[in-house]
Amino acid sequence: MTAPLAAVVLCAGKGTRMKSEKAKVLHPILGKPICAYPLMRALELGSSPVVPVVGHQAEEVERSIRAHFPTAPLRFALQKDQRGTADAVRSAESALKDFKGRVLILYGDVPLVRRETLEALSAAHDKSGGVLSLVSTSPADPTGYGRVIREMGKVVRIVEHKDAPPEQRQVRECNAGIYLVESSFLWKALANIRSTNAQGEFYLTDLVEMAAAQGPVGSIDAEFGETAGVNDRVELAARAKELQARINTWHMRNGVTLTDPSTTYIEEGVAIGSDTEIAPMVTLSGATVVGRNVTVGQGSVLHASSVADGTTIKPYTVLEEARVGERCILGPFSRLRPGTDLAEEVHLGNFVETKKARLGRGSKANHLAYLGDAKIGSGVNVGAGTITCNYDGVNKHLTELGDGVFIGSDTQLVAPVKVGDGAYVGAGTTVTKDVPPGSLAVSRTPQVNMEGWVERKKARMAKSAEAGPSKPDKASAG
């Protein structure tokens, strides 16, 4: 039987090196705040509850976390004063007063830790049989990191860099700051930690020596990049680049072609089917789902949208909270705004914009159109320059086009209005009332051809030029 698991995620720091008015853990990395990533990993492991420890800008941090995890088993704790990592974890004790089991301790500014690493930590903890297990790492330059001190191969303590004598600073194995601790040990041990160190803080690392006195300390090694934190904007960009490469590699190994992975931005949580091809400079964000055999052209942006199998998205097309059916053709330079819902085989061409528009199977708007608050049937042709006039200055109104409707170029559809099945609307028409099925609607001023008008105009202009400039009127000259 798996032991109950809770998690404490430290999110209280200010992050002065970010040079920002915003709390460090709220800075975004691939569309989510930094702290969202360790929180996701904790939840994936089944941690319940998860306790974010907040401090600097506590209300803003809590609001952001709740927005990203609205249904998660969260209990927030407040660290009033920044007195070290042990004090931060101790702040979570009241939130976990009724919890008996293991406590996973993570940091809100360490976004790249993998679920697999945390699972390995849990396995090492089971194997050791001790009260605490930790993750260690070996950076190229260990300066500033706490050293993992071993005796006869066993972990006995962690010494912070500032407190380490020269011989211990030669140790390459460093503390990653990630722990799995038995709750029965954790709270009693935290109460005994003192701030007798170079920083005058309560070090969480002191737990290791206390745990080693009771039995073996489990440990696993992780790559430094996975355990590296974010302290400034340079490191923020570096972590984002690493995460981008990790996500892109995962998709490519699962059958997705990325023409230029270095310029392709895919957020965690995006789903892409096999044999889909993604061109350079594409952004896929939010809860986006892309099907199989889809082509996404250069520079396109898809946010919180779904695209079904076999669709072609041409360059520089933007989708936001849109649903696209199978075998559609979009773009180039189309914009699908929230509420757009396309059935199969719809074509939206260059500079076509939709908003809250439902288009039936095989309907087309290939050039320069705006379709907002519209319900459009199947097999409809919308000509270039057509717009739905959906807003009267106060309210939005619906335009309805039945199956097989033909809308001529430069048509204005003044909502609310209905065009019945199979009806035609002539080019240049302003439709202000319903069009019955099978009818032709035309609202043009009759065309008048004035033969010889051009030659007469030229003659008048020539005569005027020969006469020279006219003299000013005496009255107007004053």
Side-chain angles (χ1 to χ4, degrees):
M1 181 177 177
T2 304
L5 178 67
V8 174
V9 183
L10 307 186
C11 303
K14 181 178 181 180
T16 55
R17 281 182 279 175
M18 296 296 288
K19 301 288 195 288
S20 175
E21 296 297 320
K22 184 189 299 184
K24 178 170 66 171
V25 296
L26 294 185
H27 283 262
I29 177 170
L30 266 69
K32 299 178 179 67
I34 299 171
C35 62
Y37 292 94
L39 286 164
M40 283 190 290
R41 302 294 85 85
L43 291 166
E44 287 171 357
L45 289 179
S47 303
S48 181
V50 174
V51 183
V53 177
V54 297
H56 180 65
Q57 295 183 352
E59 292 183 2
E60 292 86 344
V61 174
E62 179 174 345
R63 189 181 305 116
S64 175
I65 291 173
R66 288 193 184 280
H68 280 84
F69 304 97
T71 62
L74 301 175
R75 298 180 187 175
F76 286 83
L78 177 65
Q79 184 187 22
K80 295 181 179 180
D81 301 309
Q82 308 296 302
R83 300 190 299 169
T85 51
D87 179 66
V89 175
R90 191 160 50 198
S91 301
E93 182 175 3
S94 60
L96 294 174
K97 61 184 178 181
D98 57 347
F99 176 81
K100 306 296 182 185
R102 296 173 177 177
V103 179
L104 175 67
I105 300 172
L106 300 172
Y107 289 83
D109 63 351
V110 178
L112 299 186
V113 63
R114 299 174 186 266
R115 175 178 176 174
E116 294 82 358
T117 298
L118 300 179
E119 289 174 339
L121 176 63
S122 180
H125 191 71
D126 288 338
K127 184 177 180 180
S128 73
V131 295
L132 180 147
S133 296
L134 59 85
V135 178
S136 65
T137 188
S138 300
D141 180 5
T143 303
Y145 293 94
R147 305 307 203 276
V148 177
I149 306 302
R150 294 177 181 265
E151 294 177 0
M152 304 294 291
K154 297 180 179 180
V155 177
V156 294
R157 71 181 66 86
I158 291 173
V159 179
E160 295 294 343
H161 180 86
K162 290 185 177 181
D163 300 310
E167 65 274 13
Q168 289 182 340
R169 292 188 180 187
Q170 300 304 310
V171 174
R172 308 297 297 182
E173 185 181 14
C174 296
N175 174 41
I178 297 170
Y179 305 95
L180 189 60
V181 193
E182 297 294 331
S183 62
S184 58
F185 162 80
L186 177 61
W187 311 119
K188 293 177 182 178
L190 286 172
N192 292 320
I193 290 178
R194 300 291 178 261
S195 58
T196 54
N197 51 66
Q199 294 288 91
E201 294 183 347
F202 296 91
Y203 288 161
L204 191 59
T205 50
D206 289 353
L207 287 178
V208 176
E209 187 170 7
M210 296 178 185
Q214 296 191 20
V217 172
S219 68
I220 64 165
D221 182 66
E223 293 182 4
F224 174 70
E226 183 179 349
T227 64
V230 174
N231 292 299
D232 56 31
R233 295 176 195 257
V234 174
E235 292 181 350
L236 179 68
R239 300 295 93 79
K241 200 69 176 176
E242 292 174 54
L243 183 57
Q244 176 189 9
R246 181 191 297 180
I247 292 170
N248 290 356
T249 297
W250 187 91
H251 284 293
M252 289 187 287
R253 295 199 187 282
N254 283 274
V256 178
T257 295
L258 305 183
T259 306
D260 183 4
S262 66
T263 64
T264 303
Y265 177 105
I266 303 174
E267 290 184 2
E268 184 172 328
V270 170
I272 309 173
S274 62
D275 292 319
T276 285
E277 298 183 7
I278 298 177
M281 297 185 290
V282 166
T283 296
L284 306 178
S285 62
T288 291
V289 178
V290 180
R292 296 166 53 90
N293 294 296
V294 173
T295 300
V296 183
Q298 178 168 313
S300 293
V301 177
L302 282 64
H303 175 71
S305 297
S306 65
V307 179
D309 298 350
T311 286
T312 297
I313 300 175
K314 296 182 179 180
Y316 304 103
T317 293
V318 177
L319 282 68
E320 182 181 3
E321 297 176 25
R323 193 197 74 84
V324 178
E326 295 182 357
R327 301 179 301 283
C328 292
I329 300 176
L330 310 178
F333 297 101
S334 295
R335 184 186 179 195
L336 282 63
R337 291 168 55 194
T340 296
D341 189 344
L342 308 184
E344 301 85 357
E345 300 173 357
V346 170
H347 293 190
L348 298 180
N350 47 286
F351 304 105
V352 172
E353 179 180 355
T354 60
K355 189 271 296 183
K356 288 186 179 178
R358 297 176 59 189
L359 277 72
R361 181 170 186 164
S363 291
K364 300 178 181 180
N366 281 324
H367 320 278
L368 301 160
Y370 171 66
L371 305 174
D373 296 282
K375 182 180 179 182
I376 298 172
S378 61
V380 173
N381 185 87
V382 178
T386 294
I387 62 171
T388 57
C389 306
N390 56 322
Y391 185 49
D392 63 8
V394 178
N395 299 306
K396 302 290 180 70
H397 300 283
L398 180 67
T399 296
E400 297 185 61
L401 307 181
D403 294 341
V405 165
F406 182 94
I407 304 295
S409 298
D410 195 28
T411 291
Q412 300 86 49
L413 299 158
V414 183
V417 70
K418 297 181 180 180
V419 179
D421 293 349
Y424 272 53
V425 176
T429 295
T430 300
V431 180
T432 58
K433 58 185 180 180
D434 293 351
V435 180
S439 300
L440 170 65
V442 181
S443 65
R444 301 177 187 152
T445 301
Q447 180 174 324
V448 177
N449 295 332
M450 302 176 67
E451 296 185 9
W453 181 87
V454 173
E455 292 300 322
R456 293 194 295 272
K457 178 176 176 64
K458 289 181 179 179
R460 288 196 303 271
M461 293 174 64
K463 184 176 180 180
S464 176
E466 291 175 0
S470 59
K471 295 180 180 180
D473 183 77
K474 289 183 180 180
S476 62

